[in-house]
Amino acid sequence: MENVLIIGSGPAGYTAALYTARANLAPLMLEGEPSKDILPGGQLMTTTEVENYPGYSDGVTGPKMMEDFKHQAERFGTRFLYETVTKIDFDARPFKVYSETQSWETKSIIVATGATAKYLGLPSEEKYMNRGVSACATCDGALPRFRNKPVVVVGGGDTAMEEALFLTNFSSRVHVIHRRDAFRASKIMADRALANPKIAPEWNSTVDEVLGDDKTGVTGVRIRNIQTDKLTDIACTGYFAAIGHKPNSDLFKGVLDMDETGYLITKPGSTYTKIEGLFAAGDVQDKIYRQAVTAAGSGCMAAIDCTRWLEAQHA
Ligand code: NDP
């Protein structure tokens, strides 16, 4: 039987693993199966340069940072499996946790399943998925189909700025389609994007349709100016959605408290959920800050809450 099972392998999960390992709990982390949407290591695996994680004073790439996090957790005895949890028996004590192929018994669980990129939900997005449509420029931006060709990025947050800037390394022009007339992104990122001669903002605009054909995939987008209702077609070979994220909380629907968008609700100032012995940390329970450093901080909180809870069970 496990003392603590950690579900998810981003900054929150790895930090929870580091702390519970150093508390001699020999944690087991289920990192998730590598797939296009969910990479072990979480969202940082699709980030280029991280410049705001304290300690990495010269910046670091997301994948390198997650490798370092994992290495540090491993050094103190964390065990890792590339497994995705499909079911949890919340009523059983110990908890019973299942993947497609295995099951585990555990006294406690730390949920650090993070969040996943969202799409607009247009049928044409779905139609050309992986044929020009992507939510990850870092993963796909260097593909031949985008080289020296125009592309579009949808969104106005830091992710959109980061994706657009990254794409300027390959593409001839990057149109950033935003539904308002000012970016939501931090000033430094927005200024950097707007100063780049390859980036063209398309203000007050939404995407009506991704254009394409069966043979070539994406060939353009049709955007609508929401003030004038005017439709404009932009020729492009790539469409990158960068409109935010959805928390990966489906496993807990109907069981844990969550807000209307699916973010798990923890007891204020802690990582306790309404189920004893089950803690939540990182982006799956944080729709406000969503930073690597805050996720790591809440992973640390979950480990401390969990360690103390386990101690109290034996007292
Ligand atoms: P955000 O929620 O910050 O931004 C989402 C953007 O998409 C907004 O501009 C929003 O428009 C737009 N949007 C949302 N839904 C729709 C829709 N249905 N149609 C059209 N547009 C839509 O998400 P991000 O992923 O950009 O960032 C999340 C967090 O991660 C933030 O805290 C950010 O600071 C952080 N981050 C930091 C980075 C860094 O520092 N290097 C890099 C990436 C992210 P509107 O503005 O009108 O709401």
Side-chain angles (χ1 to χ4, degrees), residues 48-120:
T48 39
E49 199 65 11
V50 180
E51 294 175 334
N52 54 8
Y53 199 91
Y56 288 102
S57 54
D58 296 324
V60 61
T61 67
K64 171 72 174 97
M65 186 163 113
M66 287 304 91
E67 192 186 310
D68 291 348
F69 270 50
K70 182 172 177 175
H71 179 70
Q72 196 174 357
E74 202 163 26
R75 208 178 117 206
F76 297 100
T78 307
R79 291 156 302 134
F80 301 92
L81 288 174
Y82 283 153
E83 293 283 347
T84 300
V85 173
T86 51
K87 194 179 105 180
I88 300 172
D89 187 345
F90 296 98
D91 294 327
R93 288 295 176 280
F95 293 108
K96 199 135 191 225
V97 177
Y98 301 82
S99 73
E100 283 288 331
T101 54
Q102 292 187 55
S103 66
W104 302 266
E105 288 191 333
T106 182
K107 292 179 199 163
S108 65
I109 297 175
I110 295 176
V111 178
T113 46
T116 304
K118 281 195 303 202
Y119 287 90
L120 290 176

Side-chain angles (χ1 to χ4, degrees), residues 49 52 118 120 154-160 162 178-180 182 184 189 206 242-245 288-291:
E49 199 65 11
N52 54 8
K118 281 195 303 202
L120 290 176
V154 187
D158 280 328
T159 302
E162 197 176 60
H178 185 41
R179 61 185 175 183
R180 294 187 293 123
R184 172 182 296 279
M189 297 282 280
T206 55
I243 58 162
H245 296 85
I288 298 171
Y289 304 105
R290 296 178 294 180
Q291 300 297 299

Side-chain angles (χ1 to χ4, degrees), residues 230-271:
K230 184 174 172 249
L231 295 174
T232 308
D233 289 356
I234 298 176
C236 64
T237 60
Y239 167 99
F240 292 86
I243 58 162
H245 296 85
K246 174 188 173 298
N248 298 319
S249 60
D250 287 355
L251 269 178
F252 310 101
K253 269 196 185 134
V255 182
L256 294 182
D257 292 334
M258 43 182 88
D259 73 4
E260 65 292 347
T261 45
Y263 284 92
L264 298 185
I265 295 172
T266 49
K267 248 204 216 153
S270 81
T271 61

Side-chain angles (χ1 to χ4, degrees), residues 117-137:
K118 281 195 303 202
Y119 287 90
L120 290 176
L122 301 168
S124 52
E125 260 179 342
E126 179 83 42
K127 184 169 176 197
Y128 299 113
M129 193 66 71
N130 301 328
R131 289 190 300 149
V133 170
S134 166
C136 177

